[in-house]
Amino acid sequence: MSAIITISNLEKTYATGHQALKDINLDIAHGEIFALLGPNGAGKTTLISIVCGLVTPSGGMVRVNGYDIVTQYRAARSQIGLVPQELTTDAFETVWNTVSFSRGLYGKPANPAHIEKVLRDLSLWDKKDNRLRTLSGGMKRRVMIAKALSHEPTILFLDEPTAGVDVSLRKGMWEMVRSLRAAGVTIILTTHYIEEAEEMADRIGIIHHGSLVLVEEKATLMRKLGKKQLTLRPQTPLTRVPTALASWPLVLTDKGDLVYSYDTRQEHTGIPDLLATLSNEGIALKDLETSQSSLEDIFVDLVREQA
Ligand SMILES: Nc1ncnc2c1ncn2[C@@H]1O[C@H](COP(=O)(O)OP(=O)(O)OP(=O)(O)O)[C@@H](O)[C@H]1O
Ligand SMILES: [Mg+2]
C-alpha cells in the first residue's frame, strides 16, 4: 500500500486536560475511501483537525504526501480539501465568490472553468449568484464541499458530509465522492450513518474514547464479524426454552420466538439438528427467518465491548 497520509503515535490532550486522542497509528492509502466511525466525542473531528493543521498535536507525527503537517504546514495543507463538520459561511457572499475566493486562499490562479464544474457537479450552478444566507442547510453544506474542492486537492476530508442532507441529495453526494475517487482523489470521511460507510468505504476505522480500536477492509470486516441469526417462530409462542434445547445457545424473545445465532464461517451450523430436535419435541413452526448482522451490529458490539 502506498500511503498518502502517515499518522504515527499521534496524541492530543486539550487544554482542559481531556485526552482526545491516544497513540493513533494509521496509514491512508493513495486513492482509497476511508470511513472513520465512532460515537459522539470519540475524537474523529480532532483527528481530522490535526491532519488539516487546525489543531496542534500534543505528540506524534503526521505526514501528508511526505510533508510534515507542523514543520511543512503550507505544503501539507495545499494537498488537502476539508469540509468541516460545523458550517462556517459568510452569509452575505455569493456562492460563486465564496468558492472562487477559497481557491485564491491557496495561492492558486483563478480557474472559472474548474469552479463551474465543481458547482455543476454539486447541483449548485443555478444558485451561483445567490447569497449564502438565502440557501437551505443542505445547500450550504454543498457550498462547503465546493469550497473544499476549489483548489483541486488530492485529499479530501469530509467530516459528517451528509448530516442534514436529504436522501436523494445524499445519494448524489455519494456519486460525486465516487467520481472524485475515480479521478484519483483520496477521501477520508466521518459519518454517523453506518449505511454510508457500508456503501462507500474501502476501509473502515472505528475510533472510541480517543483510540483507534479497529481498522479493516470493509469486505473483510463484514465477513469476519459476520454472524447470522435464525429466528424460529413456533405455532404456539413459547414461554420458556424447552429443556431438550437447553444446551443450545438460544434466546427466547418477548414474542415467544427462539433466536439462534451462528457464525457464517462455521462448517456445521447445527441448524439441521436444531430443527430435528424441535420436531421431536413436538414444536411445530409457523415461520422461520434468517438475518445477517450488519455493520451497525458490529459497530454497536465493538463499542459496547470497549466501554
Ligand atoms: N477545543 C476543545 N477543547 C477541549 N476539549 C475538546 C475540544 N474539542 C473537542 N474536545 C473534546 O475532545 C473529545 C473529542 O471530540 P471530537 O470533536 O474530536 O469528537 P467527534 O468524534 O468528532 O464527535 P462527534 O461525532 O460528536 O462530532 C470530546 O470529548 C470533546 O469534548
Ligand atoms: Mg466530530
Side-chain angles (χ1 to χ4, degrees):
M1 168 173 104
S2 96
I4 193 164
I5 298 177
T6 309
I7 301 172
S8 324
N9 309 112
L10 189 67
E11 303 269 347
K12 176 63 189 179
T13 304
Y14 281 109
T16 52
H18 178 79
Q19 193 179 6
L21 293 178
K22 301 167 190 164
D23 195 27
I24 303 287
N25 291 282
L26 176 66
D27 281 353
I28 302 290
H30 218 286
E32 74 173 326
I33 299 181
F34 188 91
L36 201 52
L37 288 175
N40 286 130
K44 303 179 296 293
T45 299
T46 303
L47 180 57
I48 288 181
S49 304
I50 291 176
V51 180
C52 296
L54 303 173
V55 167
T56 354
S58 316
M61 202 183 65
V62 180
R63 284 187 177 277
V64 175
N65 226 349
Y67 300 111
D68 185 283
I69 49 140
V70 178
T71 59
Q72 296 168 295
Y73 168 72
R74 283 186 69 87
R77 186 63 179 87
S78 72
Q79 312 281 318
I80 296 174
L82 166 67
V83 182
Q85 183 169 13
E86 302 294 334
L87 300 178
T88 48
T89 48
D90 181 353
F92 293 97
E93 250 330 325
T94 64
V95 170
W96 177 269
N97 286 350
T98 301
V99 178
S100 307
F101 180 66
S102 183
R103 180 178 171 91
L105 285 181
Y106 289 90
K108 290 254 179 171
N111 183 346
H114 174 68
I115 306 291
E116 176 171 346
K117 177 169 189 322
V118 167
L119 293 180
R120 286 193 187 278
D121 286 350
L122 287 160
S123 315
L124 282 170
W125 184 242
D126 60 333
K127 301 284 178 201
K128 69 178 167 36
D129 299 320
N130 284 45
R131 291 181 200 284
L132 295 181
R133 66 189 169 94
T134 67
L135 301 182
S136 74
M139 290 173 195
K140 284 188 190 129
R141 193 164 288 279
R142 280 181 281 146
V143 173
M144 301 300 286
I145 296 177
K147 264 178 83 175
L149 293 172
S150 65
H151 62 105
E152 298 163 74
T154 51
I155 304 165
L156 183 64
F157 281 94
L158 297 161
D159 197 354
E160 311 277 343
T162 55
V165 172
D166 71 39
V167 179
S168 76
L169 278 178
R170 192 178 297 165
K171 297 230 157 106
M173 212 170 275
W174 292 350
E175 288 284 304
M176 192 205 61
V177 168
R178 281 200 195 94
S179 67
L180 283 170
R181 196 250 309 258
V185 178
T186 303
I187 292 141
I188 296 107
L189 59 94
T190 74
T191 179
H192 282 142
Y193 301 111
I194 308 259
E195 63 178 282
E196 189 157 85
E198 219 168 300
E199 167 91 24
M200 297 292 300
D202 300 310
R203 276 199 309 156
I204 290 174
I206 295 181
I207 187 165
H208 189 46
H209 292 321
S211 299
L212 203 51
V213 294
L214 182 137
V215 176
E216 194 81 81
E217 298 279 336
K218 179 184 65 189
T220 316
L221 184 64
M222 307 290 289
R223 199 164 52 232
K224 200 156 111 187
L225 302 171
K227 284 188 196 135
K228 265 191 155 177
Q229 296 191 321
L230 171 66
T231 302
L232 304 159
R233 190 154 300 139
Q235 294 283 4
T236 319
L238 300 174
T239 50
R240 59 182 189 83
V241 179
T243 327
L245 292 169
S247 62
W248 294 79
L250 293 169
V251 174
L252 183 70
T253 71
D254 298 342
K255 291 184 195 146
D257 297 339
L258 290 173
V259 178
Y260 176 55
S261 297
Y262 60 99
D263 195 320
T264 48
R265 292 164 306 160
Q266 270 171 262
E267 208 172 313
H268 301 288
T269 58
I271 291 170
D273 282 350
L274 178 60
L275 294 179
T277 313
L278 276 173
S279 156
N280 289 343
E281 289 298 299
I283 299 170
L285 295 178
K286 185 164 70 181
D287 193 13
L288 49 89
E289 67 187 38
T290 60
S291 59
Q292 174 100 43
S293 62
S294 64
L295 184 58
E296 176 150 11
D297 304 326
I298 294 168
F299 176 66
V300 170
D301 273 0
L302 254 175
V303 169
R304 198 186 295 125
E305 268 170 36
Q306 306 273 337

